[in-house]
Amino acid sequence: MLTAINNTKKQYIIDNFDGTKYTINKLVLACETTTRYVYKVIKEFVEEQKGKL
């Protein structure tokens, strides 16, 4: 169950991230997580996308 929640949070962050500090703070509040976690999720997503090229 915890994994499903984490996957949902990660997908929500990826779908709603637009690169602004304001959005990062909104995501932190919405997902009840930390700024560092948001950056980590985005970094993993970008690296995954680079690997597909």
Side-chain angles (χ1 to χ4, degrees), residues 8-10 12-13 26-33 37-38:
T8 304
K9 283 183 182 182
K10 285 182 180 183
Y12 182 81
I13 290 169
K26 273 182 37 179
L27 291 169
V28 166
L29 293 174
C31 295
E32 298 178 348
T33 185
Y37 181 76
V38 173

Side-chain angles (χ1 to χ4, degrees), residues 5 14 30 42 45:
I5 293 171
I14 290 166
I42 297 302
F45 176 72

Side-chain angles (χ1 to χ4, degrees), residues 14-45:
I14 290 166
D15 291 343
N16 292 288
F17 179 75
D18 69 359
T20 64
K21 184 70 174 176
Y22 176 76
T23 303
I24 292 170
N25 289 331
K26 273 182 37 179
L27 291 169
V28 166
L29 293 174
C31 295
E32 298 178 348
T33 185
T34 63
T35 306
R36 184 178 294 262
Y37 181 76
V38 173
Y39 281 117
K40 178 185 167 200
V41 169
I42 297 302
K43 181 180 178 185
E44 289 173 356
F45 176 72

